[in-house]
Amino acid sequence: MSACVPTRAPDPSRPKRMHQPPSPPLPPAPPRRFGIAGADVSAATAVFLIALPLSLGIALATGAPLQAGLVAAAVGGLVAGRLGGSPLQVSGPAAGLTVVTAELIQRYGWRTTCAITVLAGLAQLGLGCLRVARTALAVSPAVVHGMLAGIGVTIAVAQLHIVLGGTPESSVLENLHALPAQLADLHPGAVSMSVLTLTLLLVWPRIPGRAGNALRKVPAALVAVTGATATAAFAGLTLAKVDLPSWRSHALAGLPEGPVLGVVAAVLTVTLVCSVQSLLGAVAVDKLVASRPELIAGRVTRSGAAARVGRSDLNRELLGQGAANVASGVLGGLPVAGVAVRSSANVQAGAVSRNSTMLHGVFVVVAALLMVPILELIPLASLAALVMAVGIQMVSLHHIRTVTRHREVLVYAVTTVGVVFLGVLEGVTLGVAVAVAVALHRLARTRITYEESNDETGGVHYVRVRGQLTFLAVPRLSRTLHLVPQGADAVVELDGSFMDHAAFESLQDWQNTHTAQGGAVEVTGRAGTRIAEPASSSGCRCRPWTPWRNHQCERPEPGQGQEEAARGLGGVSGSDGSSASPHSPYWADSPGATGPSGHQLARGISAFQRNTAPLVRGELARLAREGQRPAQLFLTCADSRLVTSMITSSGPGDLFVVRNVGNLVPLPGEDSGDDSVSAAIEYAVDVLKVRSITVCGHSGCGAMQALLSMEPGGARTPLRRWLGHGLPSLERMAATDRPWARLAGRAPADAVEQLCLTNVVQQLEHLRAHESVARALREGALDLHGMYFHVGEAQAYLLTGVGGDEEVFDHVRAAGLSA
């Protein structure tokens, strides 16, 4: 067979696959009587089972009528669900509003609290009309997390009294003061039901095995409350239970009564907490939706319901929350906000539209009207234990670790303490003030250090500037720069995003003076990239991950060094007019580097030793002690444009890499087989125990072009013998009984790209022929993946299926930040 098979043999009876659409559309669904998908019904049921006990518990914690929690849950589902801008966010009475609402009820009474809820809703409507929703996201996350933690502590301390069989006081300090007396007067029935509730909440999500997977479909909150209710009923315990008076006596909103300033402050507090919590919840829901590609792609489900969910419209969400609060306040309900627990349950249960949120509201209405006798069997101690657990979870260790990593513990702690002991509005105000003070301190704080390297690295003097370089730091900068001896080589590292005019002039004047006295100066950023000169004076384009020819400035002609130094802070300048003196770190330790390529290599190594080695030395030392434990064998082409660590965001110890011309995997046992590739595969699978193998091809592969253009016969050079391992890929592309590998959304650009894709699929089949790979696949210890990297687009594609009707390489999209 000829080795040159650029296209398929013509077959008039066979349609061209390259022009088929990415995927065949599903047949039109039969007409439906109701426009609600089955996934929405099941998701609404799961959310309802979570919302029912939590709504009653939150109402109990605030001291409001228990019906108020059900009203808020129903209004949140129906009104906010219909009008809001986040289709899958579930709104209702939120634990984050418990402390605020409890304080309002105690100070102004229930009817005035309902009026304040209405006014807060109107304020949200006004903010939504002004389209300022995203401004709320400017609040420091440390302040928001601190606020929620403070509210959680307040809830947990208050509900502890009900868990023990008593009644909570009005403030945290009073609750803490009364706790010893409450512990001395325990109510065994209430304590036992609370302990049972907390035990079920803790154990239910952790049941192992298949039985656990099935049981976990029932929400733990529902199981805990139901278990405590059934136990109390069978044991005949005399406990305080849910009391739902007739809806005819339900109190509605009245005209606000009290001092005007106090009411205004209350409205602002409710507006702030509801808005921030709802908007942050909408952003979190967007991240959850991003983990379900079918919702983003807008695919059509087999039930006929459109499953496209776009990003949240935050201004519309604010309008929807405002309308819900107006309705809830008018109907005598608690304030409404987006609830993280219910929203995440809604997404994870498979909801595909806002119908699930609205349907859960309908379920709440039905329960409030028809399930009153059942709800009145629930012990209050069980609801208190449930809400106490929610309060404890609001003090998130993940959030604490996050703010610690970002050095914002002070903001978090001040906000938390302020909310606990002063109130929500006062605590948030304190947190914002501290956050602003910390930001100003960081802006004004600049650390300048001086260090002289040892003789082994060429005796270079380092001046490191950490922080923003403003006129306030100019005196210290000047003193430190003058510690560098005359005629010495110096590196100034600027680790900051801002330098004002005064600092720039001071640094430039010193650089000009120092180079005039025989020294050499290099000004770099944190990553070792040089601070570039103006475009008019230099061709330097120094950025990370740029090739040598773009990363290094050309050496100027003799006599130009002084002019470059006078023009700006770019590059390495020396008094002799060269771009680097013989004692420069770029030339150190490289006596054999001759010619441009040698100089580039020496410069690259020197930049690594100066900038990267100190950052990775600790990790490399650990790997040296423990040995390599890569998770993946990555087999790709030797093409210089493929930087494996860059396109996989991997580091030392992550990938066991094998590279060759054409990313080929020779079949085992062939006379012309290549033992080096087989040995690497065997070592990776049997010794290193890698869990996956990826074969990565790329666009414009020279090996594939050579295969297509290779004529039969000719001298058997090493390259031609090696490319012979790619002939099965040519045969696969020419076969008429197999589907063509293709990219999702478009046909291959030409025969070369078609062969590049086909070659990845073929080499995966060659991998399966290796004994070690076949054995690991049978044992379920190994996965195989195909990958295609388009160099010109900087776009990666992953093979989504092999051996079926289609072999499609799908886009790998950019991922969002985890919450």
Side-chain angles (χ1 to χ4, degrees):
M1 175 180 176
S2 173
C4 181
V5 190
T7 58
R8 293 177 184 260
D11 186 356
S13 64
R14 187 169 181 269
K16 294 183 178 181
R17 291 182 176 268
M18 290 182 63
H19 300 288
Q20 290 182 350
S23 59
L26 294 172
R32 298 173 55 89
R33 178 173 299 180
F34 301 104
I36 300 178
D40 281 334
V41 176
S42 61
T45 304
V47 175
F48 161 72
L49 295 177
I50 296 173
L52 187 63
L54 280 177
S55 300
L56 293 172
I58 291 171
L60 173 67
T62 61
L66 295 184
Q67 295 102 318
L70 299 178
V71 171
V75 170
L78 292 171
V79 179
R82 180 63 184 89
L83 302 178
S86 182
L88 300 188
Q89 175 162 247
V90 181
S91 300
L97 293 161
T98 302
V99 175
V100 177
T101 309
E103 183 179 352
L104 294 179
I105 294 173
Q106 184 180 11
R107 182 177 300 179
Y108 300 110
W110 173 241
R111 292 171 65 87
T112 298
T113 300
C114 290
I116 290 173
T117 301
V118 173
L119 295 175
L122 294 174
Q124 287 181 298
L125 289 173
L127 293 175
C129 292
L130 293 175
R131 308 187 66 80
V132 296
R134 290 201 173 272
T135 305
L137 301 181
V139 179
S140 169
V143 174
V144 176
H145 298 327
M147 177 189 73
L148 295 177
I151 292 172
V153 170
T154 305
I155 292 172
V157 173
Q159 296 308 297
L160 181 59
H161 284 268
I162 303 179
V163 166
L164 299 175
T167 304
E169 302 294 333
S170 59
S171 69
V172 175
L173 288 176
E174 292 177 354
N175 281 321
L176 292 175
H177 186 265
L179 192 57
Q182 185 64 61
L183 290 172
D185 185 22
L186 295 177
H187 293 256
V191 172
S192 61
M193 291 302 97
S194 300
V195 170
L196 176 60
T197 302
L198 293 173
T199 302
L200 289 173
L201 281 174
L202 182 66
V203 172
W204 191 260
R206 294 172 173 79
I207 299 176
R210 294 182 178 179
N213 293 333
L215 292 174
R216 281 195 295 271
K217 294 181 180 179
V218 182
L222 179 68
V223 172
V225 174
T226 303
T229 302
T231 303
F234 291 144
L237 298 178
T238 303
L239 297 171
K241 297 180 180 179
V242 169
D243 182 16
L244 294 173
S246 171
W247 285 101
R248 295 178 181 178
S249 61
H250 179 61
L252 302 179
L255 293 176
E257 298 177 358
V260 175
L261 292 179
V263 172
V264 171
V267 171
L268 291 177
T269 303
V270 174
T271 303
L272 171 67
V273 178
C274 288
S275 302
V276 172
Q277 184 166 343
S278 298
L279 295 176
L280 292 177
V283 174
V285 168
D286 284 345
K287 295 179 181 179
L288 292 175
V289 170
S291 65
R292 294 177 55 190
E294 71 275 9
L295 295 181
I296 300 298
R299 298 174 189 170
V300 180
T301 64
R302 294 193 178 271
S303 62
R308 185 170 176 13
V309 177
R311 294 181 63 86
S312 296
D313 183 341
L314 297 184
N315 290 299
R316 179 179 172 181
E317 179 65 18
L318 198 54
L319 291 171
Q321 295 294 332
N325 273 311
V326 171
S328 182
V330 169
L331 297 175
L334 292 171
V336 171
V339 186
V341 175
R342 299 173 213 178
S343 301
S344 61
N346 190 38
V347 177
Q348 292 168 2
V352 297
S353 73
R354 64 176 71 247
N355 290 335
S356 63
T357 303
M358 298 173 63
L359 191 58
H360 120 274
V362 173
F363 291 162
V364 172
V365 172
V366 173
L369 296 176
L370 304 180
M371 295 177 59
V372 172
I374 298 176
L375 297 178
E376 290 184 334
L377 296 175
I378 300 175
L380 294 182
S382 178
L383 291 180
L386 175 63
V387 177
M388 186 179 74
V390 173
I392 293 173
Q393 292 172 354
M394 292 173 71
V395 187
S396 170
L397 293 178
H398 171 70
H399 291 160
I400 294 175
R401 286 192 292 266
T402 300
V403 298
T404 301
R405 188 167 62 248
H406 291 282
R407 298 180 298 169
E408 294 184 332
V409 176
L410 179 61
V411 179
Y412 180 90
V414 168
T415 307
T416 302
V417 173
V419 169
V420 169
F421 293 106
L422 299 178
V424 175
L425 186 61
E426 294 83 353
V428 170
T429 302
L430 277 176
V432 171
V434 173
V436 172
V438 169
L440 292 176
H441 173 70
R442 290 176 178 173
L443 183 63
R445 180 175 177 268
T446 306
R447 183 184 177 192
I448 304 175
T449 60
Y450 168 77
E451 177 186 354
E452 181 181 1
S453 66
N454 54 40
D455 293 337
E456 295 179 0
T457 58
V460 181
H461 299 258
Y462 291 91
V463 176
R464 296 183 173 92
V465 181
R466 301 291 182 261
Q468 316 312 318
L469 198 51
T470 66
F471 67 94
L472 298 174
V474 166
R476 285 184 293 131
L477 175 65
S478 179
R479 286 194 300 270
T480 306
L481 290 175
H482 282 84
L483 294 176
V484 180
Q486 294 185 6
D489 296 332
V491 175
V492 180
E493 295 182 0
L494 303 178
D495 178 12
S497 58
F498 176 75
M499 182 194 324
D500 69 6
H501 185 69
F504 177 84
E505 281 196 349
S506 176
L507 183 56
Q508 187 181 47
D509 291 343
W510 173 82
Q511 181 186 23
N512 293 340
T513 302
H514 188 74
T515 54
Q517 293 172 347
V521 178
E522 180 187 2
V523 181
T524 70
R526 182 178 185 179
T529 56
R530 300 179 185 176
I531 307 300
E533 296 178 275
S536 60
S537 60
S538 174
C540 181
R541 299 183 296 245
C542 299
R543 287 185 295 274
W545 292 116
T546 53
W548 279 339
R549 64 176 178 271
N550 293 335
H551 190 70
Q552 304 293 348
C553 302
E554 295 182 0
R555 297 183 63 187
E557 296 297 328
Q560 290 182 348
Q562 299 292 347
E563 297 177 8
E564 287 193 357
R567 283 199 300 261
L569 300 176
V572 180
S573 55
S575 59
D576 60 349
S578 64
S579 61
S581 68
H583 304 289
S584 165
Y586 280 155
W587 299 98
D589 303 324
S590 55
T594 59
S597 60
H599 297 161
Q600 291 168 346
L601 179 63
R603 289 180 175 183
I605 296 172
S606 178
F608 165 79
Q609 292 297 148
R610 182 177 67 254
N611 303 307
T612 309
L615 301 178
V616 300
R617 187 169 285 121
E619 177 66 12
L620 290 177
R622 182 187 67 79
L623 290 172
R625 292 191 305 270
E626 301 176 0
Q628 63 168 328
R629 297 176 184 176
Q632 182 168 145
L633 167 61
F634 196 84
L635 196 151
T636 188
C637 185
D639 194 295
S640 63
R641 297 168 294 181
L642 288 185
V643 183
T644 56
S645 59
M646 180 176 69
I647 64 177
T648 60
S649 297
S650 57
D654 291 338
L655 299 181
F656 187 71
V657 181
V658 175
R659 306 187 67 154
N660 60 50
V661 176
N663 48 275
L664 300 177
V665 180
L667 287 168
E670 291 185 357
D671 295 337
S672 58
D674 184 87
D675 286 341
S676 66
V677 177
S678 299
I681 295 171
E682 180 181 350
Y683 183 77
V685 175
D686 292 342
V687 180
L688 298 179
K689 305 294 184 183
V690 297
R691 296 187 294 274
S692 66
I693 301 178
T694 299
V695 176
C696 177
H698 68 96
S699 61
C701 180
M704 299 300 103
Q705 295 177 25
L707 268 176
L708 286 172
S709 61
M710 191 166 57
E711 297 292 340
R716 294 279 294 171
T717 65
L719 179 58
R720 290 179 66 92
R721 287 197 301 271
W722 173 255
L723 291 179
H725 298 301
L727 292 177
S729 299
L730 276 173
E731 296 171 359
R732 185 186 191 95
M733 192 174 80
T736 59
D737 58 343
R738 289 179 174 179
W740 269 359
R742 61 181 179 82
L743 299 175
R746 70 172 178 86
D750 51 26
V752 174
E753 186 169 57
Q754 180 65 70
L755 183 57
C756 291
L757 297 173
T758 305
N759 182 58
V760 172
V761 178
Q762 184 64 38
Q763 302 312 312
L764 288 174
E765 289 195 3
H766 289 185
L767 268 174
R768 294 185 181 90
H770 286 258
E771 181 181 356
S772 56
V773 175
R775 182 175 61 253
L777 289 173
R778 288 194 302 269
E779 296 171 355
L782 185 67
D783 295 321
L784 301 184
H785 304 287
M787 177 177 169
Y788 177 74
F789 186 76
H790 195 290
V791 176
E793 298 174 357
Q795 176 64 56
Y797 299 81
L798 284 179
L799 182 61
T800 58
V802 182
D805 294 336
E806 289 188 329
E807 296 166 349
V808 182
F809 288 78
D810 203 357
H811 291 79
V812 178
R813 294 175 174 85
L817 299 176
S818 26

